[in-house]
Amino acid sequence: MATSPIFIFILLLILSPALLLSVKSNTTTIESTCKTTNYYDLCVSALKSDPRSPTADTKGLAAIMVGVGMANATATATYITGNLTTTAAKDTVLKKVLKDCSDKYTLAADSLRLTVQDLDDEAYDYAYMHVLAAQDYPNVCRNIFRRVKGLVYPVEISRREMSLRSICGVVSGILDRLAE
């Protein structure tokens, strides 16, 4: 038996307001969740760009932002290893500093991976602790550069550090909301 085009049309008419209400409702969830963070625009932009957001609850939105942070930290570790170590081929001190910095960003990504497990377990205190660790690892990189006389902290690493700090700040704000 073939489905009538009129039946499909009527079905779509009936369901479309519910679908629109669901999308509007979750846009409201994203916006109200992001208002609890210090980086509202970053939060809304990142969450609205992820296809899982329309069906995510607050915990799901936190997990999505953690994923953004993991991607940032991993990309930065790869950037430092790939792009900067080639410029330090003969400078063993710079090479070591860059290796240490890359390792710190890898540890930041690892801390954020632990945050995902903490979210699953609803262990929000541990999740918060892991996010703070991830947020601080790039600072260690900056301090390594400061300790070596004559080395300048690269602008691109500084930009990426601020980005990861902001992302972690968003996650922390969402965690605050979850812990209420």
Side-chain angles (χ1 to χ4, degrees):
M1 175 169 124
T3 306
S4 162
I6 295 173
F7 174 75
I8 292 173
F9 179 72
I10 293 171
L11 185 64
L12 286 175
L13 278 176
I14 293 169
L15 292 178
S16 62
L19 292 173
L20 290 174
L21 185 60
S22 172
V23 170
K24 183 175 178 9
S25 171
N26 209 3
T27 297
T28 304
T29 302
I30 290 170
E31 290 171 357
S32 64
T33 298
C34 291
K35 283 181 182 171
T36 65
T37 73
N38 290 328
Y39 303 96
Y40 176 82
D41 291 336
L42 169 65
C43 180
V44 169
S45 172
L47 291 175
K48 284 188 176 180
S49 70
D50 190 290
R52 298 168 295 170
S53 293
T55 58
D57 59 4
T58 304
K59 186 165 70 166
L61 296 175
I64 290 168
M65 282 307 301
V66 169
V68 171
M70 286 175 7
N72 175 287
T74 301
T76 301
T78 301
Y79 171 80
I80 293 169
T81 299
N83 294 338
L84 293 180
T85 55
T86 57
T87 64
K90 295 184 186 205
D91 187 341
T92 57
V93 172
L94 179 57
K95 197 175 221 172
K96 179 172 179 0
V97 167
L98 292 172
K99 168 85 171 80
D100 289 347
C101 279
S102 178
D103 291 346
K104 299 309 174 220
Y105 278 92
T106 299
L107 289 169
D110 291 344
S111 287
L112 290 169
R113 270 187 264 296
L114 291 170
T115 303
V116 173
Q117 182 60 51
D118 297 333
L119 284 169
D120 287 343
D121 296 341
E122 296 185 0
Y124 301 125
D125 288 342
Y126 286 108
Y128 198 81
M129 179 187 70
H130 286 122
V131 170
L132 290 178
Q135 189 173 2
D136 199 42
Y137 278 119
N139 188 46
V140 175
C141 177
R142 178 184 291 275
N143 289 337
I144 292 169
F145 267 90
R146 284 185 183 151
R147 285 190 294 246
V148 178
K149 190 173 182 149
L151 283 186
V152 176
Y153 193 56
V155 172
E156 180 59 18
I157 297 176
S158 177
R159 186 188 69 73
R160 289 169 179 257
E161 173 188 354
M162 295 313 296
S163 178
L164 183 58
R165 283 177 172 276
S166 298
I167 293 165
C168 288
V170 168
V171 176
S172 294
I174 296 172
L175 288 173
D176 286 344
R177 181 178 177 143
L178 284 170
E180 291 177 343

